[in-house]
Amino acid sequence: MKSSAKKIELASVDDLFSTEEVRQDAKLEKIQEIPLSELHPFKNHPFKVKDDEAMMETADSIKQYGVLVPAIARPDPEGGYELVAGHRRHRASELADKETMPVIVRDLDDDAATIIMVDSNLQRESLLPSERAFAYKMKLDAIKHQGARTDLTSAQVGPKLTAAEKIAENSPDSKSQIKRFIRLTELIPELLDMVDEKKIALNPAYELSFLKKEEQRDLLDAMDSEQATPSLSQAQRLKKYSQEGHLTLDMMRVIMGEEKKSDLDRVTFTSDTLRKYFPKSYTPQRMQDTIIKLLEAWQKKRQRDQER
């Protein structure tokens, strides 16, 4: 005969001697004060941490108020913790002579950690093109590796999203801009540095990224010998000749040696040329204002002479 008694589940010792508030609190992430020496940079972190003016201002703020937003880190199997978000706060804390900083520790796999690391930095306005390029590439690779298929939304619910569209949902750039930035990772370091330094504009840089690596190195030679950087139209022609298999160093030098329309429309004076005409106390701006006034007076005189 089967027993009609109901199965009794015994509460654990922890449940018997803890309140609901304590149990809920145990589920929350804890902010820990972790020594700065135990926090290591994220592997292949694409964002540059510089001791610039903004960093010094952050350090001064931390010295006065402390770190207001906790960093995010994950346990490092080799000891300590790997920073996921908060590299600049970590450096600023060092400059502020702090020994610890507030950190939320999470168990994250490589892909999840990469996505958080990228997203926590992408909203900064001062990002260099190279930083944005490698950050987007890292996030794209992480999403794909995560198993984020190109059908990131169900076909029954809405249109399918590509990985680039998924990134664009939470970034300041469009899908096409993201793809163009990612192309910049194909540039050799010397050319990418020139993009960061604004010596090469983004659109020409995108076209140059299609050149083979050895062609890019030859281009550096051509740019140096002609003392010029490629315009968009020049970069497009370099790309076209490269794809046709006809791009040579001599051809690069011919293209880079062309006078650009902007150069033909520009008149340039060095300060040494003009300085002898002005008192030593004149600043460059005052020199420019004086030249404009003199030219305006000269133009009016010419108009009067022509009317006679």
Side-chain angles (χ1 to χ4, degrees):
M1 180 177 178
K2 293 182 180 179
S3 170
S4 60
K6 294 182 178 179
K7 185 177 180 181
I8 299 174
E9 293 186 1
L10 296 176
S12 68
V13 174
D14 286 342
D15 287 341
L16 288 173
F17 294 97
S18 65
T19 65
E20 178 63 23
E21 181 181 359
V22 171
R23 289 194 293 272
Q24 290 302 320
D25 182 63
K27 298 177 182 178
L28 298 176
E29 290 183 318
K30 297 292 194 302
I31 298 175
Q32 307 175 38
E33 284 291 333
I34 294 179
L36 300 180
S37 59
E38 293 185 17
L39 295 165
H40 317 309
F42 193 86
K43 185 180 180 182
N44 298 324
H45 189 269
F47 302 102
K48 296 176 174 64
V49 180
K50 298 181 179 179
D51 290 350
D52 53 15
E53 184 178 348
M55 178 64 75
M56 298 308 164
E57 290 176 358
T58 303
D60 289 340
S61 174
I62 288 176
K63 189 175 292 185
Q64 188 172 359
Y65 305 108
V67 176
L68 302 179
V69 180
I72 298 175
R74 61 176 180 167
D76 188 333
E78 297 181 3
Y81 303 87
E82 183 181 43
L83 274 171
V84 175
H87 292 77
R88 296 186 77 257
R89 279 163 280 167
H90 180 270
R91 176 56 182 157
S93 295
E94 290 179 330
L95 294 172
D97 296 322
K98 298 289 184 180
E99 294 184 357
T100 66
M101 71 181 292
V103 178
I104 295 172
V105 178
R106 293 180 185 169
D107 286 318
L108 299 165
D109 62 27
D110 290 346
D111 298 323
T114 295
I115 291 170
I116 292 173
M117 182 272 296
V118 171
D119 286 347
S120 67
N121 283 279
L122 274 180
Q123 303 305 321
R124 284 171 33 212
E125 295 180 0
S126 58
L127 286 182
L128 295 170
S130 63
E131 293 178 304
R132 199 175 289 278
F134 281 103
Y136 281 139
K137 187 175 189 304
M138 288 181 73
K139 184 173 181 180
L140 185 71
D141 292 343
I143 288 177
K144 289 180 177 179
H145 189 258
Q146 238 181 5
R149 308 175 311 277
T150 52
D151 56 333
L152 289 168
T153 58
S154 171
Q156 287 82 4
V157 176
K160 296 180 180 181
L161 296 179
T162 65
E165 287 171 332
K166 185 64 177 177
I167 296 174
E169 286 184 327
N170 299 306
S171 82
D173 295 307
S174 66
K175 178 186 72 173
S176 61
Q177 287 173 315
I178 288 168
K179 289 182 176 181
R180 292 175 76 83
F181 271 115
I182 291 174
R183 275 298 318 177
L184 298 185
T185 63
E186 299 297 327
L187 290 172
I188 59 175
E190 294 87 345
L191 288 178
L192 191 53
D193 285 343
M194 296 182 78
V195 179
D196 284 344
E197 295 162 5
K198 298 183 178 179
K199 294 177 180 177
I200 299 179
L202 284 173
N203 287 334
Y206 169 78
E207 302 295 336
L208 297 178
S209 71
F210 290 92
L211 271 59
K212 301 179 182 70
K213 294 294 187 289
E214 59 270 22
E215 292 173 337
Q216 293 184 35
R217 282 186 280 272
D218 283 344
L219 178 60
L220 285 174
D221 187 317
M223 289 165 57
D224 183 60
S225 65
E226 300 302 325
Q227 287 298 292
T229 57
S231 65
L232 177 57
S233 64
Q234 288 173 324
Q236 288 171 335
R237 274 184 288 151
L238 291 168
K239 172 186 172 183
K240 177 176 178 290
Y241 290 133
S242 173
Q243 291 176 334
E244 293 173 351
H246 303 316
L247 188 59
T248 64
L249 177 57
D250 287 340
M251 183 178 291
M252 291 181 191
R253 286 175 175 162
V254 169
I255 292 175
M256 295 313 305
E258 297 171 348
E259 281 192 292
K260 301 184 181 68
K261 184 177 185 301
S262 58
D263 292 335
L264 296 173
D265 292 340
R266 183 186 303 149
V267 178
T268 305
F269 293 99
T270 65
S271 59
D272 290 339
T273 302
L274 298 174
R275 179 58 65 184
K276 61 184 178 182
Y277 298 106
F278 295 92
K280 292 182 179 180
S281 60
Y282 272 44
T283 63
Q285 184 61 52
R286 191 174 180 186
M287 289 166 61
Q288 178 178 306
D289 293 342
T290 303
I291 291 170
I292 296 298
K293 288 179 181 177
L294 290 171
L295 287 172
E296 288 174 346
W298 176 67
Q299 184 183 44
K300 288 178 181 177
K301 181 178 181 302
R302 287 184 65 233
Q303 288 175 343
R304 288 195 300 270
D305 290 345
Q306 289 174 354
E307 291 171 357
R308 289 175 182 173

